[in-house]
Amino acid sequence: LRSISVTQPTPTQPPSPPMDSKRLVLVLSLAVIIGCTLTAAATVPKEVYIGAVLPLGASVGFGALSDLTQMALDDINNSTAILPNTTLKLYVNSSGYYSPNNALRSWIWQTQTWSGNSKPAIAVISGIHATPAVAMSYMATEYKVPFLSPVLADDVFSNKQHHSYFYRTIPPTSAGTDVFVALMRKYGWTRAVVLATDDDSGRSIHSTMTTLAKDTSTGPALDLLLLTVDMKNKEDYEAKFQTIKDSSYRVVFSTTSGGHTQFEYMRSIGLLKKEYAWVANAWCDNPINTLMHDDVAGFMCIRPVPAAGPTWNAWVARAKQRPMQKFVPSIGFYQGGYYDIGWIIANALHKMFHANASNVVAATGENLKTYLAQTDMTGVIGQIKFDALGNPVRDFQVVNYQMPTPSTLPFVLWWNRVVFTYSMSDKKLSEQVTAPVFLEGRTTVPTDAPVRTLLRVSGGLYFVFLSLMAIGIVLAAVFAIFIQLNANHPVIRSSSPLFCQIIVLGSIILLCTIAVVGLDKDTAGVCESLPLLASVGFWLIVAPLFAKTYRLHKIFNNKKLRIQKIPNSRLLMEVGSSIVMELICFTLFVQFGRPTSRLIAAEGKLYTDVWVCDNEASAAWWVLFVAPKALMLVASGRLAYQVRHLVHSFNESKQIAYTIYTIGLLSLIALPLGQMQRTAPDSAL
């Protein structure tokens, strides 16, 4: 109309011809059409249609959902406060839950409803199956029609690029990851397996868990084993469960659904033992097969805070009076969601039509989406509010499946006991509400790794060897007394009583190493005292033998027949010098590679640790600690051989050779003791 004008004639122009009747009628008709359109857009509609693609058969697990949605619309239509001049009507078609062909027909029907029907649906409510719902949500975004669900928790719908018109009253599957991490912090767990399916939800869970694991603001970084599993593929889930069994992880966060067959396999390989902690978030409120009662006892489960309280109880009582609900064994959170979705749509329409009487918003799906995002209401399932992704902002619970008392009670009487409540706004767990009971009735919190066993010398064996050591020391003391009392006997005098006493002292010191070997190597001073006692004992035995043999060699193997006088004092200086040199070598050895105790995994034994003594400089060990002793044994053996022909009263070559042989053999046995103590401390002792 703005483009049509009448130009006033001027003296220099002839008057314009009058508008013919056909053109006038056309312009007026166009004005009427535009005016009617503008008037319709600003008028509160008498009827608004809502589409629903639901399982119509009452035998379906969630049964009679369309009736619950109709119940909401009946309540709304009977109220004069919410939409006084508008009637809500429901289009319902079968979702074809059990038939792909039916599902396809539903999609075609819904497409026609959105695009070509004379009474198009302003919003559509989804069914319970994700596969057709994904396609419908794509179409809803294409046609700009809000698509709402109280059931679909798949994370694919959080992708607002493809599902910008999707809203739901149940949190997405990945929402439980925050709760699980908070539970790990609560129990001091730092390691866990995260089982997820190979789909959008599983990938979202793994991605979110990876991000949360790196967050050290509330605790140390988390060590996660991320596994993708197909619970319908026997080979796959058995392989993944075996991976868990073979690992050292003992906390499992399962975000997949499983049946009795999978649980039986888990039990058969020992995954349902008290050493494990299982936390799930996939089937907390689903009906559980009676065969799985014993399997899930001790599981913890993360779920949104369920509907409860007087409002909920009153609504359930009303719902059960409806004829269609007689087919439904129980009415739960999801059924309440189908009722609340009707009110969510109605509240948004109320804001569109009645918030500003002078500016009624047109009843289109695009406008409805704007007002759905502003939802903040209390429904029968509790407070309902959406975030930017169309997901509800809802608190969670950590529940625990516990065996009833007595255990013969039917499973329906089991309690899903609430252990913690998690606040989404504060990101914190509440104080413990109920003490949990874990697998096999365990009441203490399982550790996140196998309980490691400390491999040590058994107390009984240690006592036996301490007794033998004591007997050896007593015998050595008896010998010392005997030698002292018979020092002037020709045989003993020819054997040098002083050096025999030194040898006895060395024997006592070596015997004392038995007590040190049997101690845990983390005991203060053990790693330093063991080589020191062994070295001093060795030199106190071998050095006097070498000194005595050296004196005999110098006296009787004197080719020039000179008189040789080698007093005990000189030999004592040589023995003392060897001890001093050993102490110097030991000091240098400690300086270059101080023996320290270290806890290591026992070789060849699962989840077993052992304390060992290690040093940082193995070359220093061989040069300063082993080599001098080996050279002394060789030199003593050579001298014993050189005096083998002496007269019997002076000849100790056989006894010296036997002593050198015994000490040498024990030394060869002692060298691998360090390695043996890593696997068998009892055998090492």
Side-chain angles (χ1 to χ4, degrees):
L1 290 176
R2 190 178 297 112
S3 65
I4 300 175
S5 61
V6 178
T7 306
Q8 296 294 329
T10 61
T12 59
Q13 291 180 328
S16 299
M19 182 180 297
D20 60 71
S21 60
K22 290 183 179 180
R23 288 181 64 192
L24 180 60
V25 170
L26 177 63
V27 170
L28 293 176
S29 299
L30 180 61
V32 169
I33 293 172
I34 294 175
C36 291
T37 302
L38 293 175
T39 303
T43 302
V44 176
K46 293 182 178 181
E47 294 179 342
V48 172
Y49 291 85
I50 299 172
V53 186
L54 301 172
L56 298 182
S59 60
V60 176
F62 290 86
L65 300 179
S66 60
D67 181 59
L68 294 176
T69 305
Q70 186 61 56
M71 177 183 177
L73 269 56
D74 291 344
D75 290 345
I76 295 166
N77 292 333
N78 291 331
S79 171
T80 58
I82 184 76
L83 295 172
N85 302 316
T86 304
T87 300
L88 297 182
K89 293 189 175 182
L90 187 65
Y91 284 135
V92 183
N93 198 39
S94 174
S95 63
Y97 181 69
Y98 295 113
S99 170
N101 291 331
N102 286 344
L104 180 60
R105 285 195 293 270
S106 295
W107 300 346
I108 295 173
W109 170 85
Q110 206 65 52
T111 303
Q112 293 172 344
T113 300
W114 289 334
S115 59
N117 198 297
S118 59
K119 299 175 181 179
I122 196 171
V124 176
I125 302 172
S126 82
I128 62 177
H129 198 238
T131 302
V134 170
M136 292 180 189
S137 180
Y138 273 114
M139 294 195 307
T141 300
E142 178 69 22
Y143 288 103
K144 298 182 178 180
V145 176
F147 191 57
L148 298 94
S149 174
V151 178
L152 301 174
D154 303 71
D155 278 81
V156 64
F157 297 106
S158 294
N159 183 344
K160 292 296 108 174
Q161 181 179 355
H162 302 301
H163 305 280
S164 58
Y165 278 74
F166 183 85
Y167 290 86
R168 54 183 156 193
T169 57
I170 179 176
T173 305
S174 62
T177 53
D178 287 332
V179 188
F180 177 67
V181 171
L183 189 65
M184 291 184 70
R185 301 297 190 198
K186 193 82 170 182
Y187 286 145
W189 295 332
T190 59
R191 311 171 75 248
V193 177
V194 182
L195 275 175
T197 50
D198 188 15
D199 55 20
D200 290 275
S201 294
R203 286 185 285 273
S204 178
I205 288 168
H206 279 175
S207 175
T208 305
M209 286 297 299
T210 300
T211 301
L212 293 174
K214 298 176 182 178
D215 183 7
T216 57
S217 61
T218 57
L222 304 178
D223 175 14
L224 302 178
L225 175 60
L226 306 178
L227 294 179
T228 302
V229 61
D230 182 359
M231 297 301 287
K232 297 179 181 179
N233 185 323
K234 185 174 185 292
E235 292 184 359
D236 185 66
Y237 72 68
E238 287 187 355
K240 298 303 168 56
F241 289 152
Q242 191 62 48
T243 299
I244 299 174
K245 172 68 176 177
D246 296 338
S247 74
S248 60
Y249 295 84
R250 290 296 178 266
V251 177
V252 184
F253 181 40
S254 176
T255 65
T256 66
S257 59
H260 177 62
T261 303
Q262 290 89 336
F263 278 102
E264 279 297 299
Y265 181 75
M266 291 157 61
R267 184 178 297 281
S268 68
I269 64 173
L271 284 180
L272 299 183
K273 297 289 186 182
K274 62 183 179 181
E275 292 80 12
Y276 289 87
W278 281 80
V279 183
N281 78 334
W283 42 262
C284 299
D285 293 309
N286 289 357
I288 297 178
N289 189 304
T290 54
L291 295 174
M292 295 165 55
H293 295 176
D294 294 337
D295 296 326
V296 300
F299 268 64
M300 302 186 82
C301 207
I302 296 170
R303 69 179 184 186
V305 173
T311 301
W312 168 257
N313 295 334
W315 176 80
V316 170
R318 279 204 312 125
K320 287 183 177 180
Q321 300 302 315
R322 296 181 71 86
M324 280 297 294
Q325 301 309 312
K326 66 182 180 180
F327 298 102
V328 182
S330 63
I331 296 178
F333 181 84
Y334 300 126
Q335 286 89 342
Y338 276 101
Y339 177 85
D340 276 347
I341 280 180
W343 280 94
I344 292 171
I345 296 172
N347 278 324
L349 291 174
H350 175 80
K351 293 178 182 177
M352 293 168 58
F353 301 157
H354 304 292
N356 188 344
S358 62
N359 185 22
V360 176
V361 179
T364 66
E366 189 172 8
N367 290 334
L368 178 63
K369 174 181 179 292
T370 301
Y371 287 88
L372 286 175
Q374 303 172 15
T375 297
D376 189 356
M377 59 170 273
T378 301
V380 297
I381 63 172
Q383 191 67 23
I384 301 173
K385 196 173 184 178
F386 298 118
D387 63 16
L389 299 179
N391 298 321
V393 180
R394 194 171 187 87
D395 293 343
F396 281 78
Q397 288 178 343
V398 179
V399 298
N400 180 217
Y401 289 97
Q402 297 187 10
M403 290 284 286
T405 304
S407 59
T408 54
L409 290 175
F411 182 72
V412 71
L413 296 179
W414 285 29
W415 285 93
N416 298 343
R417 298 185 181 273
V418 177
V419 181
F420 298 106
T421 299
Y422 181 82
S423 170
M424 263 304 171
S425 57
D426 297 336
K427 301 293 183 182
K428 290 182 180 180
L429 284 176
S430 67
E431 293 299 319
Q432 182 171 283
V433 179
T434 305
V437 177
F438 296 93
L439 295 174
E440 295 187 327
R442 177 174 179 163
T443 55
T444 57
V445 178
T447 58
D448 58 3
V451 177
R452 303 191 68 86
T453 303
L454 183 61
L455 192 62
R456 58 176 63 183
V457 173
S458 59
L461 185 66
Y462 189 43
F463 176 77
V464 169
F465 275 90
L466 284 179
S467 301
L468 293 175
M469 179 191 74
I471 294 173
I473 292 175
V474 170
L475 288 175
V478 170
F479 277 120
I481 295 171
F482 176 81
I483 292 169
Q484 187 63 35
L485 294 177
N486 298 278
N488 293 322
H489 190 279
V491 174
I492 294 178
R493 188 173 61 182
S494 64
S495 299
S496 301
L498 176 61
F499 294 105
C500 288
Q501 298 285 32
I502 295 175
I503 291 172
V504 169
L505 177 61
S507 300
I508 292 174
I509 293 176
L510 275 182
L511 283 168
C512 290
T513 60
I514 294 175
V516 180
V517 169
L519 295 173
D520 287 336
K521 300 306 177 288
D522 62 328
T523 306
V526 167
C527 290
E528 295 87 350
S529 61
L530 184 58
L532 180 61
L533 288 175
S535 296
V536 172
F538 174 89
W539 286 109
L540 288 178
I541 292 175
V542 177
L545 285 175
F546 180 85
K548 291 200 306 172
T549 308
Y550 175 77
R551 179 160 59 183
L552 292 175
H553 168 69
K554 293 295 289 182
I555 293 174
F556 292 101
N557 290 336
N558 182 5
K559 295 181 179 180
K560 295 183 179 181
L561 300 178
R562 292 180 180 177
I563 298 176
Q564 297 282 345
K565 186 177 181 179
I566 305 176
N568 286 343
S569 58
R570 178 181 170 184
L571 296 181
L572 279 174
M573 289 182 61
E574 293 179 357
V575 172
S577 298
S578 65
I579 300 297
V580 171
M581 288 299 298
E582 175 61 25
L583 292 175
I584 293 174
C585 288
F586 181 79
T587 303
L588 293 174
F589 166 65
V590 171
Q591 184 67 29
F592 285 108
R594 183 182 185 86
T596 55
S597 60
R598 187 162 64 93
L599 187 67
I600 65 169
E603 297 176 6
K605 297 182 183 294
L606 286 175
Y607 315 128
T608 305
D609 297 323
V610 62
W611 284 101
V612 296
C613 293
D614 278 345
N615 64 81
E616 300 174 357
S618 58
W621 165 269
W622 288 102
V623 172
L624 299 174
F625 194 77
V626 178
K629 297 176 179 61
L631 292 175
M632 175 57 76
L633 288 176
V634 172
S636 299
R638 181 172 180 273
L639 284 178
Y641 179 80
Q642 290 177 345
V643 298
R644 68 188 184 281
H645 298 302
L646 295 182
V647 295
H648 179 70
S649 57
F650 294 102
N651 192 344
E652 291 182 331
S653 58
K654 291 183 180 180
Q655 287 79 3
I656 293 173
Y658 178 75
T659 303
I660 293 173
Y661 162 78
T662 303
I663 294 177
L665 179 62
L666 292 176
S667 298
L668 291 176
I669 293 174
L671 285 177
L673 271 181
Q675 185 66 24
M676 188 181 295
Q677 288 199 3
R678 296 170 183 259
T679 56
D682 282 351
S683 300
L685 179 59

